[in-house]
Amino acid sequence: MSAVTVNSAGVSAADPRIPLRNHLRHTGALIRRNLLWIRQDPESMFDAILFPVIFTLLFVYVFGGSIGQSLGGGQEAYVQYVVPGLLAMMGMNMAQGVGTGFNTDFHTGVMDRFRSLPIGRASVLIAKISVEMMRMLVASAVLMVVGVLVGFHIHHWLGMLAAIGLSAVFGSALMWVFLTLGVTMKSAQSVQAMGFLVLMPLQFGSSIFAPTQSMPGWLQNFTDYNPLSALADAARGLMVGGPVAHGTLLTLAWSVGLTAVMAPISIYKFRTKT
């Protein structure tokens, strides 16, 4: 029997009916592999560390004075507004990195190696998401430190932890979308371009950076259902004070919906990609 025949049989029989305990063991081993890769390539953490620093300083010191006046204060008022909003961006930006990294792994042959092993296909994807979640938590911690240094006041510490958790839930759901793009698109540049086209309208057509009351009516209707607006508003309510229920429920609804739809598609595309 040829090696090709043996390998094809191994691939087809690898995934079905793998016990949950083995799935967890495989996932843990792959998480360790991905963490070791980060240790060997510490530059891969630059985006998680520098992104929250650059965006916080940029928006606070460039736009803080003018937008802060519309909030009834100055730069200090804008800091209280924008830092929770930036927290909503952590998961979004980390999610985009998942797709480009996953696509690159396919072109370097890493994923072909994984698919030839007798491991659960979902374990590969879940391990990838788990490590990116850790990177997102690092980015969130850096954001909070920088936010405090520029004048952000955390009114509710438990609320801050809840806001970070909510951001992580939505970020993990969004990662399934980008994993699907990473599997289906031909290059990492294509994944990045598609992510830019999708996320830029969501990002700037939201309440992350500025209040939506001055936006045109049609755009306000869009922001009302934009998950990034819901997440940003919920984070503000949890950390600074204000309404929480609507934004939290809408964010969770989007997270559950995206995961329920995109996770099976991602796993199927991963298993069948040639």
Side-chain angles (χ1 to χ4, degrees):
M1 184 180 294
S2 66
V4 173
T5 304
V6 171
N7 185 59
S8 299
V11 170
S12 62
D15 197 39
R17 300 185 181 87
I18 294 179
L20 177 60
R21 182 177 180 181
N22 288 352
H23 267 296
L24 295 175
R25 183 164 54 85
H26 299 159
T27 302
L30 291 169
I31 289 174
R32 182 175 179 272
R33 175 260 176 191
N34 290 334
L35 291 175
L36 289 174
W37 177 260
I38 291 176
R39 189 176 72 175
Q40 295 176 357
D41 182 23
E43 293 180 359
S44 63
M45 287 295 295
F46 280 4
D47 59 339
I49 296 173
L50 296 180
F51 170 80
V53 176
I54 293 172
F55 265 74
T56 302
L57 297 180
L58 174 66
F59 279 93
V60 168
Y61 291 111
V62 175
F63 303 107
S66 57
I67 300 179
Q69 290 179 1
S70 68
L71 296 171
Q75 181 176 294
E76 183 178 353
Y78 187 63
V79 170
Q80 310 308 312
Y81 183 90
V82 76
V83 170
L86 290 175
L87 184 63
M89 292 183 60
M90 294 299 104
M92 182 187 70
N93 285 274
M94 295 298 105
Q96 188 172 6
V98 170
T100 55
F102 203 61
N103 186 277
T104 300
D105 285 343
F106 264 107
H107 287 291
T108 57
V110 173
M111 290 303 167
D112 290 333
R113 173 61 177 166
F114 286 157
R115 292 194 302 170
S116 70
L117 298 174
I119 59 177
R121 299 296 178 261
S123 298
V124 178
L125 304 181
I126 293 173
K128 188 75 172 176
I129 288 178
S130 299
V131 173
E132 292 302 320
M133 292 287 289
M134 296 178 193
R135 288 182 359 103
M136 197 204 80
L137 293 176
V138 170
S140 299
V142 173
L143 172 65
M144 290 296 101
V145 171
V146 177
V148 170
L149 291 177
V150 298
F152 180 69
H153 303 294
I154 302 173
H155 297 268
H156 308 286
W157 287 90
L158 290 179
M160 181 194 71
L161 296 178
I164 292 174
L166 189 63
S167 178
V169 169
F170 179 72
S172 66
L174 203 58
M175 287 176 192
W176 288 110
V177 177
F178 280 94
L179 283 175
T180 304
L181 291 177
V183 174
T184 56
M185 304 202 78
K186 293 183 178 181
S187 67
Q189 290 80 4
S190 299
V191 176
Q192 191 172 18
M194 181 61 68
F196 179 83
L197 292 175
V198 172
L199 294 181
M200 286 297 287
L202 290 175
Q203 176 178 314
F204 287 98
S206 71
S207 62
I208 289 179
F209 305 117
T212 62
Q213 289 80 2
S214 61
M215 295 180 181
W218 61 268
L219 186 54
Q220 289 188 39
N221 293 331
F222 174 77
T223 62
D224 288 341
Y225 297 96
N226 186 338
L228 293 180
S229 287
L231 178 54
D233 293 341
R236 289 188 191 99
L238 289 167
M239 298 169 67
V240 180
V244 172
H246 175 74
T248 300
L249 291 176
L250 190 57
T251 302
L252 292 176
W254 271 102
S255 301
V256 171
L258 287 174
T259 302
V261 173
M262 300 308 301
I265 295 176
S266 297
I267 296 172
Y268 172 78
K269 290 292 185 180
F270 178 63
R271 293 182 61 184
T272 58
K273 184 177 176 65
T274 58

